[in-house]
Amino acid sequence: MDEIRFQDPQGPQAVFGINPVTSPLKSIISLLGQNVFLDPLDKATLANIAVQGLRTAEGLRHKFDDRTVTEIWKKSSGREDVMERFLRPFCRAIQFTDPDQFSAYNFLGWIHNVAYDLPHSLAGMSWRFRPGNLSRLFRRLCVQSLSFTI
């Protein structure tokens, strides 16, 4: 997976490159472009939120454990377009919940883990369905469940 697509049912759509290792130019150009979908000020708001994920894990827990994604968006003076076009669909995609119910600590933890462990994050994203992969996954799950019951 090298890109992520966002669509606003009443407005524009955007495709962002998300793999800076295999396609860095596409990732950079897509972030700098797409100004109809999110203008540069909106992107600056998102960058401000994302930078918070670069704190230490303990710093994230201490500052964001009792907050939601909606609260950190409001604190960063986010516009409604940022919430409706990017944060809400993104939160629903990775956690199946709305930003007002999604822990900011958990959300920023995703950013933290990707930033500090990019090669493994990309390896996890490139997992493809093959019968061999599925059997290895079930084998790991069975071993883990057996280790908890013994």
Side-chain angles (χ1 to χ4, degrees):
M1 179 185 331
D2 290 338
E3 61 187 32
I4 186 168
R5 177 181 303 274
F6 289 90
Q7 289 183 282
D8 183 353
Q10 289 84 30
Q13 66 177 355
V15 178
F16 294 101
I18 58 171
N19 194 337
V21 173
T22 61
S23 55
L25 190 59
K26 180 179 180 181
S27 298
I28 291 168
I29 290 173
S30 67
L31 288 173
L32 295 176
Q34 313 289 343
N35 290 331
V36 173
F37 187 73
L38 290 174
D39 66 28
L41 185 60
D42 293 338
K43 292 176 193 170
T45 301
L46 287 172
N48 184 30
I49 292 171
V51 165
Q52 301 299 321
L54 300 179
R55 296 173 181 253
T56 64
E58 183 59 29
L60 284 174
R61 188 190 63 73
H62 178 70
K63 183 156 178 143
F64 297 103
D65 195 26
D66 59 343
R67 297 185 185 168
T68 65
V69 173
T70 303
E71 290 170 351
I72 63 170
W73 165 74
K74 285 180 183 175
K75 188 170 181 167
S76 67
S77 303
R79 292 183 344 157
E80 194 63 30
D81 280 350
V82 174
M83 175 59 79
E84 295 305 321
R85 290 185 177 173
F86 190 87
L87 287 174
R88 189 173 309 281
F90 191 74
C91 290
R92 287 179 177 168
I94 64 173
Q95 189 72 19
F96 305 108
T97 189
D98 280 330
D100 51 342
Q101 298 171 342
F102 193 178
S103 163
Y105 170 66
N106 190 354
F107 178 78
L108 294 172
W110 280 77
I111 296 169
H112 175 87
N113 290 334
V114 167
Y116 287 104
D117 198 14
L118 185 63
H120 289 108
S121 298
L122 293 175
M125 289 169 52
S126 66
W127 187 83
R128 303 279 191 262
F129 174 75
R130 288 184 213 100
N133 288 347
L134 194 57
S135 66
R136 277 184 284 164
L137 174 67
F138 283 125
R139 211 173 307 131
R140 279 191 220 132
L141 290 173
C142 290
V143 168
Q144 287 176 354
S145 65
L146 288 175
S147 66
F148 289 118
T149 58
I150 295 177

